C-alpha cells in the first residue's frame, strides 16, 4: 500500500479518536428511558448508535458488542463495532466513482468504534476507523498499560495490509488511542511484509513496552483469494525492528530513540 495513503489514514484515525465522548442530555434521557422500559443493553446500543449516525431503517449494516471489564472498576464495560459496507458501495455509486472505490477497497469512514463505560452508563460518540469495510473490525483485549484493566486492540484492513490500533482508559473514564502499527503489508505481492507485536516488561514503569519483530508470512503466495477473508499465519524472526514505551504525560507510545534508524525515509514533498 502507498505510503502517502497510509499517512492520510493514520491522521484521520488519530484525529477522529480524539472526539469528545461526553453524552448529551438526549443520550442521558435515552438511557433513563431504556431502564424504565426494561430494554436490553444490546437493543439500547443498537438504537442509540443507529440514531447517532442517522442510519436509515432499510440499510443493511453489522453491529457487534464485545463486553469486558475494561477500566479498573468492577462494572462491566463494552466495545461496540459497526460496519456499513452497503452504505460504502451506495455512496460510491452516488458519487460516480464506483470503479475507483472498489479498487481501493472502499476505504473510508465506514467502520466505527464505540466505547460503553459501565460505571457512567454512557456510550461514546463514534470513533471513525478509516479502513476497508470489506472486513469488519477485529477486537482483542489485553492488559498492557496496567494489570488492573484491559486495553483494546482493534484490527482493521486497508486494502492488502493489516493494522492494529490500541486504546487505553485513563482517569477511569477517558478512552484514548495510544498506538497503531501494521502487522502485515503487500499481501499477494512479490515482497510481503509481516510484523509480530509482543508486549514486554519495562523495568522503569508499570505499562509494558510494545515490541515489533520482523516476521514472515508462512507459505505466502500471490493466490490469497479474498483479501478481506485472508488471515495470514505469521512466524516471528529474531530481529527486533522497533520498540515503543508509553509516555505517561502524552498518553501515547513513543519509539525508543535507538530504533529511529529503522524507520522508512519520509517521502519528499
Amino acid at each position: 500500500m502507498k505510503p502517502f495513503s497510509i499517512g492520510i489514514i493514520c491522521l484521520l484515525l488519530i484525529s477522529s479518536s480524539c472526539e469528545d465522548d461526553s453524552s448529551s442530555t438526549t443520550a442521558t434521557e435515552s438511557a433513563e428511558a431504556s431502564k424504565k422500559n426494561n430494554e436490553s443493553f444490546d437493543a439500547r446500543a443498537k438504537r442509540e448508535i443507529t440514531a447517532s449516525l442517522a442510519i436509515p431503517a432499510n440499510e443493511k449494516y453489522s453491529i457487534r458488542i464485545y463486553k469486558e471489564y475494561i477500566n479498573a472498576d468492577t462494572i462491566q464495560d463494552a466495545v461496540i463495532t459497526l460496519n456499513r459496507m452497503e452504505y460504502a458501495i451506495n455512496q460510491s455509486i452516488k458519487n460516480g466513482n464506483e470503479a475507483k472505490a472498489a479498487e481501493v477497497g472502499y476505504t473510508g469512514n465506514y467502520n466505527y468504534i464505540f466505547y460503553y463505560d459501565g460505571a457512567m452508563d454512557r456510550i461514546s460518540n463514534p470513533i471513525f476507523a478509516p479502513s476497508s469495510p470489506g472486513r469488519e473490525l477485529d477486537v482483542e483485549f489485553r492488559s498492557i498499560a496496567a494489570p488492573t484493566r484491559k486495553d483494546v486492540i482493534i484490527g482493521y484492513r486497508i486494502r492488502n495490509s493489516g493494522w492494529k490500533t490500541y486504546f487505553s482508559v485513563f482517569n477511569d473514564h477517558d478512552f484514548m488511542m495510544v498506538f497503531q502499527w501494521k502487522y502485515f503489508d503487500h499481501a499477494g505481492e512479490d515482497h510481503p511484509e509481516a510484523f509480530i507485536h509482543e508486549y514486554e516488561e519495562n523495568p522503569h514503569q508499570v505499562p509494558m513496552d510494545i515490541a515489533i519483530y520482523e516476521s514472515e508470512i508462512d507459505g505466502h503466495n500471490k493466490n490469497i483469494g479474498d483479501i478481506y477473508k485472508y488471515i495470514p499465519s505469521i512466524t516471528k524472526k529474531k530481529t527486533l525492528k522497533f520498540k515503543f514505551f508509553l509516555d505517561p504525560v502524552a498518553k501515547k507510545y513513543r519509539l525508543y530513540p535507538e530504533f529511529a534508524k529503522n524507520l522508512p525515509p519520509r517521502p519528499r514533498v
Side-chain angles (χ1 to χ4, degrees):
M1 117 156 254
K2 296 180 180 179
F4 75 89
S5 299
I6 295 175
I8 292 173
I9 293 297
C10 292
L11 286 173
L12 283 170
L13 183 55
I14 291 170
S15 62
S16 63
S17 69
C18 295
E19 290 276 352
D20 175 18
D21 61 353
S22 60
S23 60
S24 63
T25 302
T26 303
T28 303
E29 292 173 350
S30 177
E32 292 174 353
S34 69
K35 288 181 180 179
K36 291 180 181 179
N37 297 330
N38 293 320
E39 183 180 34
S40 71
F41 173 76
D42 290 16
R44 169 194 164 189
K46 179 179 178 180
R47 174 175 53 78
E48 288 190 16
I49 286 170
T50 54
S52 71
L53 294 173
I55 297 176
N58 62 345
E59 181 184 320
K60 293 180 181 179
Y61 59 89
S62 173
I63 187 168
R64 298 185 184 277
I65 300 174
Y66 302 84
K67 298 176 181 179
E68 181 57 272
Y69 295 90
I70 296 173
N71 56 22
D73 62 36
T74 58
I75 302 173
Q76 191 175 58
D77 311 295
V79 168
I80 306 161
T81 63
L82 183 92
N83 175 281
R84 301 183 71 184
M85 182 66 194
E86 182 182 81
Y87 179 69
I89 295 172
N90 290 339
Q91 284 295 102
S92 70
I93 295 171
K94 179 181 177 181
N95 296 330
N97 64 347
E98 185 178 8
K100 181 64 177 177
E103 181 184 345
V104 299
Y106 298 96
T107 298
N109 290 331
Y110 306 112
N111 272 318
Y112 307 81
I113 307 160
F114 298 82
Y115 171 59
Y116 171 70
D117 186 321
M120 301 189 74
D121 193 27
R122 183 178 71 190
I123 298 174
S124 73
N125 288 335
I127 301 170
F128 299 105
S131 54
S132 299
R135 183 177 180 85
E136 297 181 15
L137 299 174
D138 297 311
V139 178
E140 178 185 357
F141 299 99
R142 293 287 296 265
S143 294
I144 304 171
T148 56
R149 60 180 191 263
K150 297 288 186 179
D151 299 284
V152 181
I153 307 171
I154 302 293
Y156 61 98
R157 301 291 177 86
I158 302 174
R159 297 182 65 192
N160 61 342
S161 67
W163 291 75
K164 292 184 179 183
T165 296
Y166 295 71
F167 291 86
S168 293
V169 173
F170 297 94
N171 303 320
D172 292 328
H173 305 293
D174 298 331
F175 187 70
M176 302 175 63
M177 191 192 81
V178 294
F179 182 69
Q180 61 183 352
W181 204 265
K182 62 185 173 182
Y183 64 98
F184 73 87
D185 201 355
H186 307 294
E189 299 180 20
D190 289 329
H191 303 289
E193 294 180 323
F195 301 94
I196 290 287
H197 295 205
E198 292 197 344
Y199 316 109
E200 301 178 351
E201 290 187 4
N202 183 317
H204 305 294
Q205 60 177 18
V206 172
M208 301 179 78
D209 290 344
I210 299 178
I212 308 294
Y213 284 86
E214 190 173 292
S215 307
E216 63 182 3
I217 298 176
D218 302 331
H220 177 269
N221 63 69
K222 292 185 178 181
N223 300 317
I224 59 176
D226 186 341
I227 185 61
Y228 303 115
K229 293 181 180 178
Y230 173 67
I231 302 176
S233 172
I234 299 175
T235 298
K236 184 181 80 171
K237 293 183 178 180
K238 294 182 179 180
T239 304
L240 175 59
K241 194 75 174 178
F242 304 102
K243 196 169 187 179
F244 300 83
F245 65 94
L246 182 64
D247 180 339
V249 177
K251 297 180 175 62
K252 297 286 183 184
Y253 270 87
R254 305 290 194 194
L255 180 67
Y256 281 98
E258 58 265 36
F259 293 96
K261 63 180 183 297
N262 295 331
L263 290 171
R266 293 185 178 181
R268 296 181 180 180
V269 179

